[in-house]
Amino acid sequence: MRVHLVNPSDVSFGTAVITPRWLYVLAAATPRAFGTPAIADETLEPFDPDTVEAGDVVGIGIHTGNALRGYEVGGIARARGAYVVFGGIHSTLYPDEVRERGGAHAVVRGDGDLIWPDVLTDFAAGTPRPVYEGGKVDGESFLSARWDLLPEGKYMWGSVQTVRGCPKHCSFCSVWRTDGQKPRQRHVAAVIREIVELRRRGFRFVLLADDNFYPVTLGDLAAAERQASQSRLAALRTLREERFELMARLAELPGDMVFYTQITMEAAEDPEFLEAMRRARIRGALVGVESVTPEGLKAVFKNFNDAGEALVTRLQAFRAHGVHVLGSFIFGLPTDQPSTFDATADLAQRAGVSFAQFVMLTPFPGTVDFARWEATAAAGVTRKGVPLSRYWLIPSAQRPKVYSPHPLMSAEQIREGTQYVWDRFYRLAAIWQRSDCVRSMRSRLAFLLISKLYRQMYANTGIATDSARVTRSARRARWLAKAARRLFVTTPMPDLQEPASLRELRDSKRLAIRVVT
Ligand code: SF4
């Protein structure tokens, strides 16, 4: 019984930017008795069904965007006589659909870190259960990934998770509902140990793949003080101190290392935190700007963001501390107007945002928006014989790009406007102007290359309705990605040791770290 782990994707680029962490964490969770899992990441190359034999177990992780391809892989694996197990956010939300469409013998809901060995043991005994509840695993129990199984020369960045969950409640986001609002922070020593392992293998760029790297804001502390809630205040302070501890340890790692994370805009008001980020060489952060107007922010329950000039100031604060922002903007909010496209592109450039992504409002399952949309705009509507409220079951080339009627713009206007902003933000002259955030010519060229790659991978393959354009873009991205990879990886440091202060910290606190060797 061989174990296979598959990350499904409709498009393969040969080289990928970020290591898909879940594959290597589940590989670590696989007991040695079941051998080394075969890992297939379809963002690199399509899955080869011939590798699967009757009696094997095929684990497939899906989110809504790749669910349909995941079902295809599940069907193929089952037809070859394999046992099929699905996990991931989409499986957690729709276990019945996964069984019906993906040929699943079993579905894992929630975190797979601890329950995966039980799943495999049951399959080996011939007694699998239809559903396994993985729940929300404590930060202390997060597993380190099996980075020893990475294929050579395929990925640009390593990825490590330091915290799961987000205390916010944005209406378009499912993270706070699926991962919970209580931040589950991982031990500093476990995080650093894993990063050291990645650097030993030549990864100097590492994504801190967190839901929200800034789980405690100054506002949260002030509110707890006002409410004289001593226990809450103590818990928040502990979480915050652990963040500073982590950043202090990151600062001790080899000087060529660079980190990137995801954070809320409130961090811009916390100079002490930003300064610690600078020292830790956290050089980039994805910030969910979403909308440049107060009405737009209200529409997505994101009132804690700023709009207009205050927004420009906040975004510039990141840059002043050496943190480059990847701003994420949403188009198609009911409050948007035709002028919103230019206003957003202008603001992104003026605020010194280094990279940006422009997405069309999509109701994702598990979100507040989805529940509302499913009960109203999508009720009774079908496309290609599929209920609109199950749009992910429509082949991706025929899937609508806009899901709700807009009061002022047609779906095509929103799609064209979004494509226009991508084109405008990533035109050569604008990228070159933004590249002055780095010093050397080599760094400026790297900035240019990665900007073009980002656009090819995410704009042209996600927004375009023209399949020839998608194919061309995937081909260009394949070539660009191969060239870009050389700029990110470096000479391995196989003998790199953990920082001495970390060893002392671990000894003094007697931290229980789950280590997979
Ligand atoms: S969008 Fe970001 S801040 Fe809002 S709930 Fe999701 S993870 Fe948290």
PDB file of all heavy atoms in Angstrom, residues 69-81:
ATOM      1  N   ARG A  69     -10.662  19.878 -10.584  1.00  0.00           N
ATOM      2  CA  ARG A  69      -9.509  19.075 -11.017  1.00  0.00           C
ATOM      3  C   ARG A  69      -9.219  17.975  -9.973  1.00  0.00           C
ATOM      4  O   ARG A  69      -8.887  16.844 -10.319  1.00  0.00           O
ATOM      5  CB  ARG A  69      -8.277  19.981 -11.223  1.00  0.00           C
ATOM      6  CG  ARG A  69      -6.980  19.259 -11.467  1.00  0.00           C
ATOM      7  CD  ARG A  69      -6.989  18.417 -12.742  1.00  0.00           C
ATOM      8  NE  ARG A  69      -5.814  17.549 -12.826  1.00  0.00           N
ATOM      9  CZ  ARG A  69      -5.731  16.435 -13.529  1.00  0.00           C
ATOM     10  NH1 ARG A  69      -6.759  16.024 -14.245  1.00  0.00           N
ATOM     11  NH2 ARG A  69      -4.632  15.724 -13.550  1.00  0.00           N
ATOM     12  N   GLY A  70      -9.393  18.316  -8.701  1.00  0.00           N
ATOM     13  CA  GLY A  70      -9.192  17.316  -7.640  1.00  0.00           C
ATOM     14  C   GLY A  70     -10.156  16.143  -7.812  1.00  0.00           C
ATOM     15  O   GLY A  70      -9.765  14.981  -7.643  1.00  0.00           O
ATOM     16  N   TYR A  71     -11.401  16.444  -8.187  1.00  0.00           N
ATOM     17  CA  TYR A  71     -12.397  15.365  -8.374  1.00  0.00           C
ATOM     18  C   TYR A  71     -11.994  14.466  -9.549  1.00  0.00           C
ATOM     19  O   TYR A  71     -12.188  13.252  -9.524  1.00  0.00           O
ATOM     20  CB  TYR A  71     -13.788  15.959  -8.617  1.00  0.00           C
ATOM     21  CG  TYR A  71     -14.323  16.735  -7.419  1.00  0.00           C
ATOM     22  CD1 TYR A  71     -15.368  17.635  -7.556  1.00  0.00           C
ATOM     23  CD2 TYR A  71     -13.783  16.545  -6.151  1.00  0.00           C
ATOM     24  CE1 TYR A  71     -15.859  18.344  -6.463  1.00  0.00           C
ATOM     25  CE2 TYR A  71     -14.263  17.246  -5.060  1.00  0.00           C
ATOM     26  CZ  TYR A  71     -15.306  18.148  -5.223  1.00  0.00           C
ATOM     27  OH  TYR A  71     -15.783  18.845  -4.144  1.00  0.00           O
ATOM     28  N   GLU A  72     -11.434  15.119 -10.576  1.00  0.00           N
ATOM     29  CA  GLU A  72     -10.978  14.340 -11.734  1.00  0.00           C
ATOM     30  C   GLU A  72      -9.876  13.359 -11.305  1.00  0.00           C
ATOM     31  O   GLU A  72      -9.922  12.169 -11.624  1.00  0.00           O
ATOM     32  CB  GLU A  72     -10.422  15.334 -12.759  1.00  0.00           C
ATOM     33  CG  GLU A  72     -10.473  14.872 -14.187  1.00  0.00           C
ATOM     34  CD  GLU A  72      -9.938  15.963 -15.121  1.00  0.00           C
ATOM     35  OE1 GLU A  72     -10.113  17.170 -14.838  1.00  0.00           O
ATOM     36  OE2 GLU A  72      -9.322  15.594 -16.099  1.00  0.00           O
ATOM     37  N   VAL A  73      -8.914  13.873 -10.533  1.00  0.00           N
ATOM     38  CA  VAL A  73      -7.808  13.026 -10.054  1.00  0.00           C
ATOM     39  C   VAL A  73      -8.359  11.906  -9.172  1.00  0.00           C
ATOM     40  O   VAL A  73      -7.959  10.737  -9.297  1.00  0.00           O
ATOM     41  CB  VAL A  73      -6.775  13.875  -9.271  1.00  0.00           C
ATOM     42  CG1 VAL A  73      -5.728  12.982  -8.609  1.00  0.00           C
ATOM     43  CG2 VAL A  73      -6.090  14.885 -10.188  1.00  0.00           C
ATOM     44  N   GLY A  74      -9.315  12.241  -8.303  1.00  0.00           N
ATOM     45  CA  GLY A  74      -9.924  11.239  -7.412  1.00  0.00           C
ATOM     46  C   GLY A  74     -10.582  10.127  -8.213  1.00  0.00           C
ATOM     47  O   GLY A  74     -10.410   8.932  -7.906  1.00  0.00           O
ATOM     48  N   GLY A  75     -11.312  10.514  -9.267  1.00  0.00           N
ATOM     49  CA  GLY A  75     -11.997   9.523 -10.109  1.00  0.00           C
ATOM     50  C   GLY A  75     -10.997   8.598 -10.781  1.00  0.00           C
ATOM     51  O   GLY A  75     -11.193   7.366 -10.834  1.00  0.00           O
ATOM     52  N   ILE A  76      -9.914   9.178 -11.289  1.00  0.00           N
ATOM     53  CA  ILE A  76      -8.890   8.371 -11.974  1.00  0.00           C
ATOM     54  C   ILE A  76      -8.263   7.382 -10.992  1.00  0.00           C
ATOM     55  O   ILE A  76      -8.088   6.200 -11.285  1.00  0.00           O
ATOM     56  CB  ILE A  76      -7.793   9.295 -12.579  1.00  0.00           C
ATOM     57  CG1 ILE A  76      -8.379  10.148 -13.701  1.00  0.00           C
ATOM     58  CG2 ILE A  76      -6.594   8.491 -13.056  1.00  0.00           C
ATOM     59  CD1 ILE A  76      -7.469  11.282 -14.171  1.00  0.00           C
ATOM     60  N   ALA A  77      -7.928   7.875  -9.796  1.00  0.00           N
ATOM     61  CA  ALA A  77      -7.270   7.020  -8.795  1.00  0.00           C
ATOM     62  C   ALA A  77      -8.203   5.882  -8.365  1.00  0.00           C
ATOM     63  O   ALA A  77      -7.772   4.730  -8.236  1.00  0.00           O
ATOM     64  CB  ALA A  77      -6.851   7.864  -7.591  1.00  0.00           C
ATOM     65  N   ARG A  78      -9.468   6.203  -8.180  1.00  0.00           N
ATOM     66  CA  ARG A  78     -10.415   5.164  -7.748  1.00  0.00           C
ATOM     67  C   ARG A  78     -10.580   4.109  -8.837  1.00  0.00           C
ATOM     68  O   ARG A  78     -10.670   2.906  -8.558  1.00  0.00           O
ATOM     69  CB  ARG A  78     -11.753   5.814  -7.381  1.00  0.00           C
ATOM     70  CG  ARG A  78     -12.697   4.802  -6.758  1.00  0.00           C
ATOM     71  CD  ARG A  78     -13.776   5.439  -5.925  1.00  0.00           C
ATOM     72  NE  ARG A  78     -14.608   4.389  -5.365  1.00  0.00           N
ATOM     73  CZ  ARG A  78     -15.282   4.477  -4.248  1.00  0.00           C
ATOM     74  NH1 ARG A  78     -15.229   5.584  -3.542  1.00  0.00           N
ATOM     75  NH2 ARG A  78     -16.023   3.486  -3.813  1.00  0.00           N
ATOM     76  N   ALA A  79     -10.631   4.584 -10.102  1.00  0.00           N
ATOM     77  CA  ALA A  79     -10.777   3.640 -11.214  1.00  0.00           C
ATOM     78  C   ALA A  79      -9.580   2.685 -11.283  1.00  0.00           C
ATOM     79  O   ALA A  79      -9.698   1.575 -11.802  1.00  0.00           O
ATOM     80  CB  ALA A  79     -10.919   4.400 -12.523  1.00  0.00           C
ATOM     81  N   ARG A  80      -8.443   3.110 -10.763  1.00  0.00           N
ATOM     82  CA  ARG A  80      -7.256   2.230 -10.762  1.00  0.00           C
ATOM     83  C   ARG A  80      -7.222   1.329  -9.525  1.00  0.00           C
ATOM     84  O   ARG A  80      -6.227   0.636  -9.275  1.00  0.00           O
ATOM     85  CB  ARG A  80      -5.976   3.073 -10.838  1.00  0.00           C
ATOM     86  CG  ARG A  80      -5.830   3.776 -12.194  1.00  0.00           C
ATOM     87  CD  ARG A  80      -4.504   4.488 -12.291  1.00  0.00           C
ATOM     88  NE  ARG A  80      -3.370   3.568 -12.348  1.00  0.00           N
ATOM     89  CZ  ARG A  80      -2.900   2.989 -13.466  1.00  0.00           C
ATOM     90  NH1 ARG A  80      -3.474   3.253 -14.621  1.00  0.00           N
ATOM     91  NH2 ARG A  80      -1.871   2.169 -13.419  1.00  0.00           N
ATOM     92  N   GLY A  81      -8.273   1.400  -8.715  1.00  0.00           N
ATOM     93  CA  GLY A  81      -8.374   0.499  -7.571  1.00  0.00           C
ATOM     94  C   GLY A  81      -7.763   1.056  -6.293  1.00  0.00           C
ATOM     95  O   GLY A  81      -7.583   0.330  -5.316  1.00  0.00           O
TER      96      GLY A  81
END
